[in-house]
Amino acid sequence: MRGSSLLPGLCFLLSLSGVVAQKTKGTCTHCPQNAFCVNATHCTCNHGYRSESKEKYFSYRFERCEDVDECKPPISVYCGVNAECQNIIGSFYCHCIDGYKLLSGKAQFNNSNENTCQKITPSKTTNSTKEMQQVVEDIESHLTGKTVLGVERNFTSTVTAFLQKVESDVLKTALKAPDQKIQKVQYSTVAVETQVVTDNCSKRVILSLNAQVNSMKIHCSDVIQRNIKGTSAVAFVSYSSLGNIINASFFEEMNEKDQVYLNSQVVSAAIEPKKNTSLSQPVILNFQHMKVKPGVKKIFCVYWKDTKEGGRWSKDGCALRQANKTHTICSSTHLSSFAVLMALHGQEEDPALTVITYVGLSLSLLCLLLAALTFLLCKAIQNTSTSLHLQLSLCLFLAHLLFLTAIDRTENKVLCAIIAGALHYLYLASFTWMLLEGLHLFLTARNLTVVNYSSINRLMKWLMFPVGYGVPAVIVAISAASRPHLYGTPDRCWLHLDQKFIWAFLGPVCAIICVNFVFFVMVFWILKRKLSSLNSEVSTIRNVKMLTLKATAQLFILGCTWFLGLLQVGPAARVMAYLFTIINSLQGVFIFLVYCLLSQQVQKWFGEIIKSKSESEAYTLSSRFGADSKPSEAK
């Protein structure tokens, strides 16, 4: 386990248990279609194709070469202003968008250097085009002249006002020429695309806008805002240098341990008229990274938030959809100015924590398996309490097994999301069975007997399975239905921290721990009163003491140790990380120790098994000795 992954507390990782197919290697004469031989030993895909395994050179005879879509991330060929990329099998080409054509008259070209796309416009739209160009030129002059920075002590207010004015000017200019549906203008530091909607979204459901190396998709219904009649417009603006002014230092969650930096251009999205600012569907933003750096720990999709102090980068309403080395896709529930922040690893992984986790969980798996077999086979202890122990052991066993067999395998995003959901369910089920354990212990203490309490048995049998497995299923189903894209992160198959989605796990866990603590206090109060009223009833005193031991053990095993995960802050963070890892990875060992090895009935059962085995071995030896002794006596 990674040491850094423990810091949020209670956040176990798990990824899909990968089934690695055994690949039969072949010779270079068996290169697949769209591939050629290299050095008579390996194959490589033709230009415009890549292998299914993503390996450049391969010898697996059943490998396939797939077409690379150069027009989509991570490549996203840029064809220049007023042009689009079109993918074809094995290659691509650029062409002018509707309403534009090449000066040469050709239908296509190869790259942005060959772009000569010119607008095919009637004379009446020339003035509106010039007006939009003039607006963008004014924006460019402000940016290149650095007048945005101003002389104020708090220049973020000036930046906020500047961004709002740019959006307003661009949209108003676009609405002056409603017959010119799309306008694109690009300069060295700023690029703008506007689209005007006059047909009540009868032709397009999704509007796509591009500016420099970034793009945006927004539902047309959000642009016209349904109840607005008339002409509406949407604008997408990209600033190539504004990030140098409002950099990552203005991030409201800046962590000194992490090296946070802005790794995209700043973009703005706005609509006009602004009657309703809420969106029915999130707007999708595609950013191209400015730098590719290894060791990225976190990726933040942020927007520029207008505050009393002037402005800050904030994550509210923004979510990370997808990310790779060159691009990040974000979504937002509102329109504003956006960017992508990244944080490098603040600390090295602790190999000692990894060793402790693997050793501890391996021991726990063994002990949980032995405990489950004991609960199933030892008839002397089979009752409602044993059934609860068995279900808890099974849930923890499956969760720990998944954790150990495949960690941090996030290659397949769909399967990673499924595994994150499965892990979410298994750990929530484990905590729910812990809650039922606490409830059962409280009811047992109230009745002051350990076994044969029929009313408790009937209640627990009625509650057990619907609550133990049903409640976690409902929580996971609601979480998955509301935010399915937040299952699975770029580096682990677990819940995203974005939009506080992690509380879909932490919320129920904290509630269960608190309730179990209340049960513990009530059990101790009941047992203290019972002990003070007893005289010399030895069996009852023994039962009460055993119940006290179980109450203490359950409080320790079934909850309180998890609070160590929340204490991993400040100077004691490292110590708490070690304590959290050691104690929780050995949870299965504690369960086997308390519920099996310390049980007199289980000890007696183990003794009978050992005794019968030793008697069987003795009988076998004596039979062999008797058979072998006859010949010697004959001599």
Side-chain angles (χ1 to χ4, degrees), residues 388-513:
L388 292 169
H389 302 335
L390 175 61
Q391 302 306 319
L392 172 61
S393 299
L394 290 175
C395 289
L396 282 176
F397 179 85
L398 291 175
H400 291 342
L401 182 63
L402 286 173
F403 179 86
L404 282 180
T405 53
I407 188 170
D408 289 348
R409 293 190 181 181
T410 57
E411 297 86 0
N412 191 314
K413 297 185 181 301
V414 175
L415 288 175
C416 182
I418 294 173
I419 292 304
L423 185 61
H424 188 195
Y425 175 77
L426 283 173
Y427 275 114
L428 279 183
S430 300
F431 275 97
T432 307
W433 285 107
M434 291 178 188
L435 176 63
L436 291 173
E437 291 263 17
L439 174 61
H440 181 261
L441 185 65
F442 166 69
L443 295 176
T444 303
R446 194 185 65 175
N447 285 269
L448 294 176
T449 179
V450 179
V451 293
N452 298 326
Y453 36 96
S454 57
S455 61
I456 297 177
N457 282 342
R458 285 196 299 269
L459 176 63
M460 293 306 299
K461 286 180 180 178
W462 182 78
L463 281 175
M464 274 197 321
F465 291 98
V467 174
Y469 291 114
V471 171
V474 171
I475 295 174
V476 174
I478 294 174
S479 302
S482 61
R483 294 182 178 88
H485 60 283
L486 295 182
Y487 276 101
T489 69
D491 59 344
R492 62 193 182 195
C493 295
W494 184 234
L495 280 65
H496 264 285
L497 298 179
D498 292 339
Q499 301 182 23
K500 301 179 181 178
F501 188 62
I502 190 64
W503 283 99
F505 174 72
L506 293 184
V509 165
C510 292
I512 289 172
I513 292 174

Side-chain angles (χ1 to χ4, degrees), residues 37 67 91 103 120 142 193 215 221 264 267 275 281 291 307 329 368 412 435 470 569 575:
C37 183
D67 174 55
S91 186
L103 291 177
I120 308 172
H142 277 75
E193 178 176 347
S215 64
S221 59
S264 73
V267 301
K275 187 173 182 180
Q281 297 289 335
K291 298 178 182 178
T307 63
I329 299 177
L368 287 169
N412 191 314
L435 176 63
V569 294
V575 175

Side-chain angles (χ1 to χ4, degrees), residues 126-140 173 183-187:
T126 304
N127 292 334
S128 62
T129 302
K130 290 182 178 180
E131 188 173 352
M132 181 65 75
Q133 290 177 342
Q134 184 60 49
V135 170
V136 179
E137 282 181 7
D138 292 342
I139 299 170
E140 169 107 343
T173 304
Q183 294 193 59
K184 286 188 175 184
V185 179
Q186 178 171 330
Y187 287 89

Side-chain angles (χ1 to χ4, degrees), residues 265-489:
Q265 296 176 347
V266 177
V267 301
S268 294
I271 56 178
E272 187 73 26
K274 297 180 180 179
K275 187 173 182 180
N276 183 10
T277 56
S278 62
L279 302 177
S280 62
Q281 297 289 335
V283 60
I284 307 300
L285 303 158
N286 191 332
F287 295 90
Q288 180 171 305
H289 299 164
M290 298 172 65
K291 298 178 182 178
V292 178
K293 288 188 177 182
V296 172
K297 177 183 177 184
K298 297 177 183 177
I299 299 176
F300 305 101
C301 294
V302 295
Y303 83 101
W304 187 252
K305 182 179 181 181
D306 187 9
T307 63
K308 293 180 180 180
E309 293 77 18
R312 305 285 290 177
W313 289 118
S314 173
K315 297 191 300 180
D316 296 340
C318 299
L320 174 66
R321 283 289 186 93
Q322 190 177 345
N324 56 32
K325 291 182 179 179
T326 59
H327 287 77
T328 292
I329 299 177
C330 302
S331 65
S332 174
T333 57
H334 54 81
L335 299 181
S336 181
S337 295
F338 304 92
V340 173
L341 302 180
M342 293 188 176
L344 299 177
H345 283 287
Q347 59 182 10
E348 296 291 332
E349 294 180 10
D350 193 337
L353 285 176
T354 303
V355 174
I356 291 171
T357 298
Y358 276 92
V359 173
L361 289 184
S362 298
L363 287 174
S364 283
L365 283 175
L366 176 61
C367 290
L368 287 169
L369 179 61
L370 293 175
L373 291 174
T374 301
F375 298 145
L376 284 171
L377 300 177
C378 183
K379 296 182 179 180
I381 62 170
Q382 288 182 353
N383 51 33
T384 303
S385 179
T386 304
S387 298
L388 292 169
H389 302 335
L390 175 61
Q391 302 306 319
L392 172 61
S393 299
L394 290 175
C395 289
L396 282 176
F397 179 85
L398 291 175
H400 291 342
L401 182 63
L402 286 173
F403 179 86
L404 282 180
T405 53
I407 188 170
D408 289 348
R409 293 190 181 181
T410 57
E411 297 86 0
N412 191 314
K413 297 185 181 301
V414 175
L415 288 175
C416 182
I418 294 173
I419 292 304
L423 185 61
H424 188 195
Y425 175 77
L426 283 173
Y427 275 114
L428 279 183
S430 300
F431 275 97
T432 307
W433 285 107
M434 291 178 188
L435 176 63
L436 291 173
E437 291 263 17
L439 174 61
H440 181 261
L441 185 65
F442 166 69
L443 295 176
T444 303
R446 194 185 65 175
N447 285 269
L448 294 176
T449 179
V450 179
V451 293
N452 298 326
Y453 36 96
S454 57
S455 61
I456 297 177
N457 282 342
R458 285 196 299 269
L459 176 63
M460 293 306 299
K461 286 180 180 178
W462 182 78
L463 281 175
M464 274 197 321
F465 291 98
V467 174
Y469 291 114
V471 171
V474 171
I475 295 174
V476 174
I478 294 174
S479 302
S482 61
R483 294 182 178 88
H485 60 283
L486 295 182
Y487 276 101
T489 69

